[in-house]
Amino acid sequence: MKKLIYLDHAATTATRPEVVEAMLPYFTQNYGNASSVYDFASKSKTAIQHARKTIGDALGVPDRDIYFTAGGSESDNWAIKATADAYASKGKHIITSKIEHHAVLHTCEYLEKHGYEVTYLDVDENGIVKPEDLEAAIRPDTVLVTIMFANNEIGTVEPIKELGAIAHKHGVLFHTDAVQAFGQIPINADEMNIDMLSASGHKLNGPKGIGFLYIRKGIKIGPLIHGGAQERRRRAGTENVPGIVGLGKAVEIAVATMKERAEKEIELRDYMMERIMKEIPYTRINGSKTKRLPGNVNFSFQFIEGESLLIMLDMEGICASSGSACTSGSLDPSHVLLAIGLPHEIAHGSLRMTLGEDNTKEDIDFVIEQLKRIVGRLREMSPLYEDFVKKHK
Ligand SMILES: *Cc1c(COP(=O)(O)O)cnc(C)c1O
């Protein structure tokens, strides 16, 4: 069997063995319901408190403001829908960007069907939301600005602190989907003017189906999931104790190793971008060269289809993506690539590779050799490329 080279860490990551180990006792031994009164259940309660503290510390916020959810999508839905609901008497206008994850975009579209107005801000050619555009879009009836911390397709890191400051200057709440950024780059929610922040376990080597929403004290949003009194009456449902413990452990490790991982990934990322741009003609890099997640590369190769490229890479044991996992499988080009101004045919020839700490330079050298070969072959088969070559001879 071929060696698997996993370059899709923005889609999901492996749960670390230390994380699994930390979780196991909470399935079989300490399985008590954290809401029960007997002493046995207090083990679950203590474990939840410990994880909450780890996460609060990581974000520089009080741990009581961390609320566990079933992942990034739930956190985004909760922040947006519950804010819309709670502040409807003030206004029904929400501002977001055109490059958000579907968990944000589809939630906003849902609200549009229910009497809310949404402004979708443009981004520049690198995928950056311009602070002056946000300033201009804020209205007296704006109740929420939601802008992602870092983009899942092109890795662009947004000027969150500045955007948050603008929202606050106008008395508007600021939410950020930090699912791609949390655990990868430093975030201090308080210093960065963030009122609400979504994150997810499985994007930072934690388990799937667990995440959290940070809600700054004083924000009066109600629950999305109604039922029992868990999570200070804001998120019902018996706590996913193993998941919460796993998330806490993953965050602890992510914080402790962040600097070292980022340095290593940036080195590999830049090496990859430099060699591919040099060795494969008619290629462009999507996203910002400087304001970029450590592990993200995204290219468009002219004259080819990203889907064919993915299939041929897969035959070599290489896992990559042509956009977001949710975009793959549909024929529409990625909304993010269109928003940064790529024409459809260029957007179709795009490839995202996202690095993790286990990727090595040898892996990357192998991937680059395969890419050169595969892009060359696909171009040989492309009538567009044939026309292009004829015209330029
Ligand atoms: C993966 C992702 C989500 C969804 O998180 P889940 O935990 O899979 O629900 C939301 N936003 C961004 C930016 C993501 O990358």
Side-chain angles (χ1 to χ4, degrees):
M1 223 186 90
K2 281 212 171 72
K3 183 189 174 192
L4 184 84
I5 300 183
Y6 187 76
L7 293 176
D8 205 14
H9 293 84
T12 196
T13 58
T15 310
R16 272 174 170 274
E18 306 95 301
V19 169
V20 175
E21 204 180 312
M23 293 170 72
L24 286 176
Y26 294 92
F27 287 104
T28 51
Q29 290 164 271
N30 307 328
Y31 52 81
N33 186 319
S35 305
S36 302
V37 292
Y38 36 79
D39 186 53
F40 172 55
S42 68
K43 290 199 170 71
S44 303
K45 211 169 166 173
T46 308
I48 294 172
Q49 277 164 355
H50 181 71
R52 208 188 302 282
K53 170 115 177 48
T54 305
I55 295 169
D57 289 350
L59 278 178
V61 300
D63 49 336
R64 52 137 214 270
D65 296 339
I66 303 296
Y67 297 85
F68 293 108
T69 66
S73 299
E74 184 190 321
S75 299
D76 286 342
N77 270 261
W78 183 11
I80 298 168
K81 287 176 184 166
T83 304
D85 190 36
Y87 293 84
S89 62
K90 183 194 167 205
K92 290 188 151 193
H93 179 235
I94 292 167
I95 300 173
T96 188
S97 82
K98 288 189 177 163
I99 63 161
E100 298 298 312
H101 189 273
H102 284 140
V104 168
L105 286 179
H106 290 167
T107 303
C108 288
E109 286 160 20
Y110 166 84
L111 287 175
E112 283 183 290
K113 289 195 202 115
H114 290 81
Y116 291 83
E117 262 187 86
V118 180
T119 299
Y120 300 89
L121 297 176
D122 284 318
V123 291
D124 73 8
E125 68 281 4
N126 291 321
I128 292 172
V129 173
K130 290 195 224 90
E132 61 269 30
D133 289 354
L134 173 60
E135 180 96 49
I138 293 178
R139 319 189 310 208
D141 62 341
T142 307
V143 291
L144 178 69
V145 174
T146 173
I147 304 286
M148 70 200 319
F149 207 106
N151 183 268
N152 46 303
E153 293 189 37
I154 56 174
T156 300
V157 179
E158 300 296 338
I160 290 300
K161 185 175 179 181
E162 210 179 335
L163 297 171
I166 292 168
H168 287 176
K169 191 174 84 183
H170 295 273
V172 176
L173 293 175
F174 187 74
H175 166 255
T176 188
D177 173 344
V179 174
Q180 289 292 331
F182 181 65
Q184 316 299 337
I185 53 177
I187 302 179
N188 184 307
D190 221 28
E191 280 173 14
M192 291 177 160
N193 305 309
I194 296 165
D195 297 309
M196 287 175 277
L197 177 144
S198 305
S200 174
H202 74 103
K203 304 284 175 83
L204 53 108
N205 299 100
K208 294 172 178 61
I210 187 77
F212 69 86
L213 180 66
Y214 158 66
I215 309 174
R216 185 196 293 279
K217 187 174 184 236
I219 293 172
K220 290 175 180 46
I221 69 171
L224 179 70
I225 308 293
H226 295 87
Q230 292 90 356
E231 297 297 278
R232 305 170 80 217
R233 300 182 182 280
R234 273 180 142 170
R235 202 287 187 174
T238 302
E239 295 87 345
N240 174 1
V241 184
I244 291 170
V245 168
L247 174 60
K249 189 73 187 170
V251 171
E252 182 191 312
I253 298 170
V255 169
T257 59
M258 188 185 293
K259 194 165 170 281
E260 174 196 341
R261 270 184 304 127
E263 279 167 9
K264 191 184 152 204
E265 286 176 22
I266 287 170
E267 197 179 316
L268 275 185
R269 175 195 78 184
D270 292 349
Y271 171 71
M272 213 172 179
M273 294 205 281
E274 202 185 303
R275 270 198 66 190
I276 288 176
M277 290 308 290
K278 213 183 279 168
E279 298 177 33
I280 305 182
Y282 315 115
T283 299
R284 62 162 275 151
I285 292 173
N286 298 314
S288 167
K289 291 213 178 75
T290 51
K291 295 180 172 60
R292 186 174 200 108
L293 285 174
N296 174 290
V297 298
N298 190 311
F299 298 100
S300 292
F301 301 103
Q302 266 191 72
F303 315 112
I304 66 166
E305 286 287 335
E307 294 301 311
S308 319
L309 186 55
L310 284 188
I311 292 165
M312 292 178 74
L313 286 170
D314 186 29
M315 288 189 223
E316 301 303 328
I318 301 166
C319 305
S321 156
S322 61
S324 64
C326 332
T327 314
S328 304
S330 94
L331 285 174
D332 294 332
S334 132
H335 64 284
V336 176
L337 298 176
L338 295 181
I340 60 171
L342 295 198
H344 278 239
E345 69 276 14
I346 306 278
H348 270 303
S350 299
L351 179 70
R352 175 187 79 179
M353 292 177 281
T354 42
L355 304 166
E357 63 187 319
D358 294 337
N359 295 131
T360 62
K361 175 127 182 306
E362 291 75 59
D363 290 346
I364 298 306
D365 283 329
F366 175 75
V367 171
I368 294 171
E369 290 314 317
Q370 293 306 316
L371 262 178
K372 282 162 68 174
R373 183 181 63 79
I374 296 169
V375 170
R377 271 208 39 210
L378 289 173
R379 282 180 178 165
E380 276 168 28
M381 302 187 307
S382 153
L384 288 171
Y385 186 60
E386 202 181 334
D387 286 350
F388 175 83
V389 172
K390 269 187 205 148
K391 270 189 214 140
H392 291 79
K393 272 211 168 132

